[in-house]
Amino acid sequence: MKIGKSYNLWGWVFISLALIALTLFILYPIIYSLYLSTFSTRGFLKTFVGFGNYKRLFQDRNFLLSLKNISIIFVVQIPIMLFLALIYAFLLNDPKLKFKGFFRTALFLPAVTSLVAYTILFKMMFSTDGLVNNILLAIGIIKQPIRWLLDPFWAKVTLIIAMTWRWTGYNMMFYLAGLQNIPNEIYEAAEIDGANRRVQFFKITIPLLKPIILFTTIMSTIGTLQLFDEPMNLAAGVVTGSSVGPGNSLLTPSVYIYNVCFKYVPNFGYASAISYVIVLIAAILSLIQFKVVGERR
Amino acid sequence: MKKVILMLLIISMLIGLFGVVNAAKKVTIWCWDPNFNVAIMEEAASRYQKLHPDVEFEVVSMAKADVEQKLNTILASGVKRGLPEIVLIEDYNAQKYLQSYPGSFADLTREFNYKEFAPYKVKLMTLNGKVYGVPFDSGVAGWFYRRDYFEQAGINPEDLKNITWDEFIEIGKIVKEKTGKYMISGDPYDGGLMRILLHSAGTWYFDEKGNPNIANNEVLKDALKIYKELFASGIMKETSGWNEWVASFNNGEVASVVTGVWIIGSIKAEKSQTGKWGVLPVPRLDLPGAVNASNLGGSSWYVLNNSENKDIAIDFLREIYAKDIDFYQKILIERGAFGTWLPAQNGYAYRAEDPFFGNQRIFLDFSEWLKKIPSVDFGLFTYEADGAIMGVMPDVYNGNLTIDEALKLAEEQFKNTLGF
Amino acid sequence: MRRKLVYTFIYIFLSISAFISIFPFYWMIVGSTNASVDIIKGKITFGTKFIENFKNLIETFGLGQVLLNSLEVSIFVVIGSLIVSSLAGYGFEIYKSKSRNRVYAVVLWTLMIPPAALMVPLFRLMNVFNLIDSLWGVILPMIPSVFLIFFFRQNFQQYPKEIIMAARVDGASELRIFFSIVMPSMKATYAAAAIYAFMTSWNAYLWPLVIIQSSEKRTMTLFISNLASGYNPDFGVVMTGVVVATLPMIIVFFALQRYFVQGVLGSVKQ
């Protein structure tokens, strides 16, 4: 039919600007780097290696270490952050709660800070002689200053604390918005039936927010796989910069890509191969998350 | 709406064009450290401008990592416009850039009399018989110590001119016991001290052919042992990053600092410590061929071949960095920059007594030590090797791995990083 | 009684959380009034150094130009990406077709690629357009935002299709329907998207770092990271810089806050 055809055309017209921009600025670089990933490069000298870069990756201990580092964030930081965000959203959704606006704004505020700025701030707060140790010592929680950025374990703890501070409110916002879709009558009915808050949280809130939880989980997973600004700036400012955080404890795949491109003998082919493996991992994890949540598109 | 978008596009093109318009005779320089390289380059530029008022300079100050990132991006993408005329490159990285981007740096072999520069610097910037840079500062290492603390601990500095690192640690324990001060400070995961140790024994992470020499490198084994011992003995204050490190000696917590001569500016920044410091030769490893002299860092200027005003840039570097003796005196006094253009070392500043260091003629001493530094080829992969070794250090510190095991692992990792 | 106890717990819990959220902001402001040494020691009371720090920031480091650059980048990215992404979101949602859904899936997948790997090819491309070391070089690649296309599409799902149908019957053109009927009625969506676009562009780090070379074209994030990465940074100045970098974000957020939840709400309707 005539009308159908013209609407189809309009569809393309509407998305054309975005498609042109995406093709230029995202698709072209992606395809170009796919091509590059079959070469081993040194600056602008190229040697074709086919799948050689990919084979090499699986023996590269630094790359594996970077995966291990982010998997800890994946397993520890994301659940803590999302669970906290859910609780905040649940509590703030209570119509009887006072000062709601204040709490919501306060909890969201960290999300407006720039990644670089807040990382610099946290780096100062968590220096060995710094603010956080001073407070903890004064309260008497610890007797010795914690070696936050000097110990591989504590460096990761610092990163996790910083990221949780920055991103919890951001995720809370999605949940809060999602909760507005759940009519208050459901909660009221549950209360009449004698369901306490814990029951309400686990039996009503979480099941009804499932699609949004899935969405935030996938976004956080992708964000973690691409984690760059925070570890880069937390680890910056050392004398020779030999390791990214103590014992490379803050090395993430993106930081490794950056190092392979810009700090080491520049091998853009190898860096491209790393990024494709990251894409693959992101895709697999997203699929698993879809399966676990049991959501069909 | 369409008009608006069209307008935006037109404006964008226009502004875009302005983006790369350059003044006719402008020399752009990329370097890092505002209190050192940047300030020195500005001084050099103003001197040149007195002779050639028509030349403009823009000294762009960036973080070191940013200079490296930009240089890599711009050279790898083959861009010819908007190149800086001059960039600062750390000596450890020189061969990496020269060999990764052949033809990108100007061949200066005929432009300078390289016999007038410290030979080890010239060697680092030579590839296939051609010289590509203008040697700048040296990283000749010294052992800066607090005279007052040492005296308090009953140690005579005169006895410390030829000691080993093992003796250094023993003395550190005495200092700690008598004064309560740490002997030195540093980041347990920084490779700076490692480089000092290796260089003083004339060794690096590679053999002459450029192959990795890590697992069976006796010097490296010794160096790792010292790293572990320094932290285990409690004489080293652990600091994270540059700022905490500098703070640790500015606020009097440590009795000494072992590092490159360029630290002088930071030490002297604490004026209340005037007269309390002195400098000794660095300790040596207890191995054949090891000397009481070493190097950490140092960098040089390179001219980009495709830059617009390449010839002016070369002339500028020649006029100032290979002719102006007074310039070198000034940057030495004001910034602690130890140039490697040898004629400058006959100047007054190199013989002057420094009241801050108890009237010691420190630069005369550094000139002597400079001559003793073994010549080392840094190769291409210093940072990769550093990273591999620091990656195993946690297990060395906590005893999970013996030093032999750790180095074996590091060598494997290093080879993987390189794809050998 | 029990109920009251529960509420007391909730208030305490929320207050502690809010305190932790806000405290770094407080410390950052305090820091901008203190000298470098005091900041390292973790001083938490106001000092008297603010004017000195601020003067240093402006005179030694040229803050004004940097702020202007960042503003220019953010404003153009916000305008550009709001137009481009809302058009695309509308196109994908209202004119559904199999082939466009396939395109949409591809678009979503590109979210997963680590941006660090795209820098060199993107830089080459910018050279072709003659946009290296220009603010437009920073702006253009940030305009197509996959997340915003997704966000707008979700929001347009809520839009009552009958209104579009009615307008068509009245003979309005498709573009007119979008620009004068749909767009004005989606204020909250656009406000939320604007906050997001402003946040990402104002805070962008890696791409500006790659494309900008001269100091007078630096954006705020580059400026801050450069302030902090020098060998002997003055932390008072760094803190003041962090305050100045964060302030515009807070202003934009408070200005648009009342639309924000509403806007996000549209994107998460099930």
Side-chain angles (χ1 to χ4, degrees):
Chain A
M1 257 183 60
K2 242 184 171 178
I3 292 176
K5 230 181 192 173
S6 92
Y7 284 153
N8 187 33
L9 194 66
W10 274 114
W12 292 114
V13 170
F14 271 95
I15 63 173
S16 57
L17 268 182
L19 279 192
I20 292 169
L22 284 169
T23 311
L24 272 178
F25 301 128
I26 297 183
L27 213 57
Y28 158 72
I30 287 180
I31 291 166
Y32 184 82
S33 74
L34 184 63
Y35 157 79
L36 258 190
S37 78
T38 59
F39 292 87
S40 184
T41 63
R42 173 187 292 176
F44 46 53
L45 313 171
K46 278 194 250 171
T47 329
F48 181 76
V49 292
F51 285 106
N53 281 331
Y54 294 94
K55 277 186 211 141
R56 196 177 131 189
L57 261 176
F58 290 97
Q59 292 153 20
D60 185 342
R61 229 175 271 267
N62 270 335
F63 174 66
L64 298 177
L65 177 66
S66 74
L67 285 184
K68 200 177 121 199
N69 286 341
I70 55 164
S71 67
I72 289 166
I73 294 185
F74 181 69
V75 174
V76 179
Q77 196 266 338
I78 295 183
I80 293 179
M81 168 182 75
L82 294 185
F83 189 69
L84 262 179
L86 264 171
I87 290 182
Y88 288 143
F90 174 70
L91 293 178
L92 291 181
N93 193 45
D94 182 344
K96 289 182 215 101
L97 191 86
K98 283 175 198 143
F99 314 117
K100 220 181 296 177
F102 166 74
F103 285 129
R104 195 180 57 207
T105 308
L107 291 172
F108 182 76
L109 216 50
V112 307
T113 56
S114 99
L115 300 182
V116 174
Y118 100 87
T119 313
I120 290 171
L121 202 66
F122 269 71
K123 193 178 155 80
M124 289 193 244
M125 291 188 352
F126 283 81
S127 75
T128 313
D129 305 329
L131 180 73
V132 174
N133 270 340
N134 283 354
I135 293 176
L136 293 179
L137 284 167
I139 305 175
I141 295 179
I142 51 170
K143 292 216 169 60
Q144 289 281 319
I146 295 176
R147 298 155 74 239
W148 291 108
L149 289 164
L150 283 165
D151 181 273
F153 170 78
W154 288 110
K156 272 197 204 88
V157 174
T158 310
L159 180 64
I160 288 173
I161 294 175
M163 287 174 66
T164 308
W165 179 82
R166 169 64 169 74
W167 294 102
T168 303
Y170 177 83
N171 287 295
M172 172 195 79
M173 238 23 178
F174 289 104
Y175 298 143
L176 258 183
L179 281 173
Q180 318 249 321
N181 289 336
I182 305 174
N184 262 317
E185 292 77 46
I186 299 185
Y187 286 105
E188 278 161 21
E191 220 169 316
I192 292 165
D193 290 347
N196 62 19
R197 271 205 172 62
R198 210 185 56 209
V199 175
Q200 289 175 20
F201 180 70
F202 286 105
K203 297 280 168 191
I204 303 174
T205 309
I206 289 192
L208 284 174
L209 283 183
K210 238 186 190 177
I212 303 169
I213 295 173
L214 175 67
F215 168 76
T216 52
T217 311
I218 290 176
M219 291 302 281
S220 308
T221 306
I222 294 173
T224 303
L225 283 166
Q226 298 176 355
L227 193 61
F228 179 78
D229 293 19
E230 284 102 332
M232 192 75 177
N233 281 289
L234 268 186
V238 291
V239 184
T240 59
S242 322
S243 90
V244 186
N248 275 332
S249 53
L250 298 178
L251 185 71
T252 65
S254 277
V255 173
Y256 192 48
I257 291 172
Y258 181 91
N259 281 351
V260 169
C261 285
F262 302 124
K263 187 168 144 193
Y264 297 162
V265 172
N267 191 339
F268 303 105
Y270 191 49
S272 304
I274 299 175
S275 63
Y276 277 94
V277 173
I278 297 302
V279 171
L280 195 70
I281 295 172
I284 292 170
L285 285 177
S286 308
L287 277 181
I288 293 174
Q289 284 159 356
F290 262 107
K291 280 266 151 58
V292 168
V293 180
E295 192 67 23
R296 259 165 277 129
R297 291 247 304 165
Chain B
M1 208 59 215
K2 270 187 220 155
K3 270 186 199 157
V4 174
I5 294 169
L6 195 71
M7 280 279 285
L8 283 180
L9 281 176
I10 291 169
I11 294 171
S12 80
M13 297 306 157
L14 285 177
I15 297 183
L17 283 176
F18 288 126
V20 283
V21 169
N22 258 335
K25 284 187 166 184
K26 190 170 163 193
V27 175
T28 306
I29 300 157
W30 288 356
C31 52
W32 61 86
D33 198 354
N35 293 318
F36 196 81
N37 302 314
V38 178
I40 287 164
M41 228 356 165
E42 276 164 356
E43 167 70 25
S46 79
R47 279 169 185 258
Y48 189 74
Q49 273 174 325
K50 275 185 200 135
L51 308 170
H52 307 268
D54 54 331
V55 179
E56 243 184 87
F57 284 89
E58 188 186 1
V59 185
V60 185
S61 164
M62 303 183 227
K64 176 165 164 279
D66 295 357
V67 175
E68 288 162 5
Q69 178 266 113
K70 282 186 189 309
L71 198 57
N72 271 314
T73 316
I74 206 164
L75 294 179
S77 47
V79 170
K80 299 242 154 67
R81 276 168 304 195
L83 289 171
E85 272 71 21
I86 300 171
V87 287
L88 185 65
I89 295 178
E90 192 188 28
D91 291 343
Y92 298 119
N93 279 328
Q95 287 295 324
K96 173 168 95 186
Y97 287 108
L98 294 178
Q99 294 187 33
S100 297
Y101 303 107
S104 298
F105 297 96
D107 172 9
L108 304 177
T109 318
R110 289 164 193 282
E111 308 283 348
F112 290 84
N113 178 8
Y114 282 102
K115 289 201 181 90
E116 292 181 351
F117 289 96
Y120 90 99
K121 290 283 279 192
V122 178
K123 198 178 155 198
L124 292 171
M125 54 179 66
T126 306
L127 181 63
N128 302 331
K130 289 177 179 162
V131 193
Y132 289 92
V134 180
F136 175 42
D137 72 316
S138 160
V140 52
W143 174 16
F144 300 84
Y145 68 99
R146 288 285 294 262
R147 291 171 188 273
D148 48 341
Y149 293 167
F150 275 30
E151 198 177 318
Q152 205 184 328
I155 296 161
N156 181 6
E158 287 304 308
D159 304 337
L160 304 180
K161 287 198 168 152
N162 185 23
I163 66 164
T164 63
W165 277 98
D166 294 328
E167 289 167 293
F168 175 92
I169 292 171
E170 289 313 311
I171 294 162
K173 287 177 187 162
I174 298 172
V175 170
K176 185 85 199 286
E177 195 192 305
K178 297 261 175 72
T179 67
K181 307 288 178 188
Y182 292 98
M183 184 64 160
I184 52 170
S185 54
D187 188 325
Y189 299 100
D190 190 81
L193 185 57
M194 189 77 74
R195 293 181 189 176
I196 293 182
L197 295 171
L198 292 179
H199 205 148
S200 74
T203 316
W204 208 241
Y205 302 111
F206 322 101
D207 60 21
E208 301 85 50
K209 287 178 197 143
N211 292 320
N213 174 23
I214 294 176
N216 298 311
N217 186 334
E218 291 306 318
V219 179
L220 202 49
K221 280 181 195 170
D222 231 34
L224 243 65
K225 207 182 83 207
I226 288 164
Y227 252 70
K228 191 176 175 181
E229 185 60 27
L230 277 174
F231 290 101
S233 61
I235 62 165
M236 185 151 185
K237 181 186 162 64
E238 293 178 36
T239 55
S240 164
W242 179 274
N243 305 309
E244 280 186 28
W245 180 55
V246 171
S248 72
F249 48 81
N250 277 347
N251 62 24
E253 276 177 282
V254 296
S256 70
V257 181
V258 179
T259 194
V261 59
W262 33 258
I263 198 67
I264 284 178
S266 300
I267 292 180
K268 285 172 89 168
E270 187 57 51
K271 298 214 171 53
S272 66
Q273 294 172 358
T274 302
K276 292 180 179 165
W277 286 89
V279 193
L280 286 164
V282 292
R284 73 186 141 80
L285 292 165
D286 199 3
L287 289 169
V291 295
N292 287 91
S294 190
N295 177 77
L296 177 61
S299 39
S300 301
W301 305 105
Y302 293 77
V303 176
L304 289 175
N305 224 357
N306 290 319
S307 61
E308 219 167 318
N309 295 314
K310 169 179 137 188
D311 297 331
I312 302 175
I314 294 171
D315 187 59
F316 158 63
L317 289 171
R318 195 168 35 220
E319 287 291 318
I320 308 297
Y321 285 87
K323 236 175 217 172
D324 193 337
I325 291 182
D326 186 59
F327 166 71
Y328 278 103
Q329 312 308 308
K330 189 166 183 202
I331 61 171
L332 182 66
I333 291 172
E334 287 185 355
R335 309 279 164 191
F338 201 91
T340 48
W341 185 56
L342 300 171
Q345 300 187 358
N346 299 321
Y348 66 89
Y350 284 80
R351 296 143 194 274
E353 294 177 347
D354 191 334
F356 190 91
F357 290 96
N359 288 333
Q360 186 181 349
R361 294 178 169 188
I362 54 169
F363 293 119
L364 213 56
D365 289 332
F366 276 113
S367 306
E368 283 307 307
W369 302 334
L370 181 69
K371 289 177 199 149
K372 290 187 196 154
I373 301 174
S375 187
V376 165
D377 179 3
F378 295 140
L380 275 74
F381 304 108
T382 297
Y383 280 94
E384 285 88 333
D386 250 0
I389 287 170
M390 288 308 148
V392 298
M393 283 313 272
D395 288 326
V396 173
Y397 287 132
N398 64 25
N400 282 349
L401 292 177
T402 66
I403 286 170
D404 283 352
E405 289 166 346
L407 285 177
K408 219 177 131 204
L409 199 66
E411 175 156 325
E412 256 172 56
Q413 164 50 30
F414 176 67
K415 286 180 174 166
N416 289 334
T417 310
L418 263 53
F420 274 140
Chain C
M1 196 53 220
R2 194 186 130 79
R3 213 191 150 97
K4 241 189 178 165
L5 201 70
V6 170
Y7 267 104
T8 317
F9 264 122
I10 290 176
Y11 281 118
I12 292 175
F13 175 67
L14 284 177
S15 301
I16 292 173
S17 305
F19 177 78
I20 293 173
S21 284
I22 295 175
F23 184 76
F25 289 94
Y26 166 78
W27 193 60
M28 160 182 109
I29 293 166
V30 163
S32 69
T33 70
N34 278 319
S36 204
V37 275
D38 291 326
I39 295 169
I40 300 179
K41 286 184 198 141
K43 189 180 169 206
I44 52 169
T45 47
F46 282 93
T48 52
K49 292 272 159 53
F50 178 73
I51 294 179
E52 197 182 318
N53 288 336
F54 195 70
K55 253 194 187 157
N56 255 325
L57 196 61
I58 292 178
E59 280 163 16
T60 339
F61 302 99
L63 173 76
Q65 185 60 44
V66 172
L67 266 175
L68 277 181
N69 293 343
S70 261
L71 267 182
E72 185 179 335
V73 167
S74 293
I75 288 171
F76 280 102
V77 170
V78 169
I79 296 175
S81 65
L82 251 54
I83 295 173
V84 171
S85 330
S86 68
L87 279 171
Y90 187 81
F92 280 123
E93 181 57 32
I94 304 298
Y95 310 95
K96 274 192 197 123
S97 81
K98 241 193 195 145
S99 46
R100 263 189 299 279
N101 273 344
R102 264 187 224 126
V103 173
Y104 185 67
V106 173
V107 169
L108 286 190
W109 281 92
T110 61
L111 262 183
M112 293 179 184
I113 195 130
L118 305 182
M119 294 297 128
V120 169
L122 206 50
F123 189 83
R124 286 168 60 109
L125 184 75
M126 284 322 198
N127 182 41
V128 175
F129 293 149
N130 201 4
L131 287 176
I132 287 169
D133 197 23
S134 73
L135 291 178
W136 284 101
V138 179
I139 295 167
L140 288 179
M142 290 206 289
I143 284 181
S145 159
V146 176
F147 179 80
L148 282 183
I149 293 174
F150 166 83
F151 177 81
F152 274 109
R153 181 174 187 176
Q154 294 297 105
N155 271 272
F156 287 128
Q157 268 175 19
Q158 310 307 313
Y159 194 80
K161 308 287 176 310
E162 304 79 47
I163 298 181
I164 299 174
M165 294 299 182
R168 278 181 190 157
V169 173
D170 289 348
S173 76
E174 296 298 307
L175 280 176
R176 214 186 119 85
I177 294 175
F178 178 76
F179 282 112
S180 39
I181 301 174
V182 179
M183 210 168 161
S185 66
M186 303 284 280
K187 273 197 198 106
T189 304
Y190 278 91
I195 291 185
Y196 178 83
F198 192 87
M199 248 161 67
T200 31
S201 55
W202 185 266
N203 296 336
Y205 174 55
L206 186 56
W207 174 239
L209 180 65
V210 169
I211 192 89
I212 291 295
Q213 283 155 3
S214 36
S215 28
E216 72 268 10
K217 290 192 185 114
R218 262 175 226 185
T219 60
M220 202 66 208
T221 340
L222 299 186
F223 180 73
I224 297 293
S225 111
N226 204 34
L227 270 187
S229 69
Y231 280 114
N232 267 324
D234 180 328
F235 287 110
V237 177
V238 173
M239 284 293 221
T240 315
V242 171
V243 170
V244 175
T246 312
L247 221 55
M249 279 305 316
I250 296 181
I251 293 170
V252 169
F253 174 68
F254 275 108
L256 298 177
Q257 190 192 17
R258 65 198 176 97
Y259 299 109
F260 190 64
V261 178
Q262 252 180 301
V264 179
L265 169 67
S267 76
V268 295
K269 274 256 170 73
Q270 293 149 35

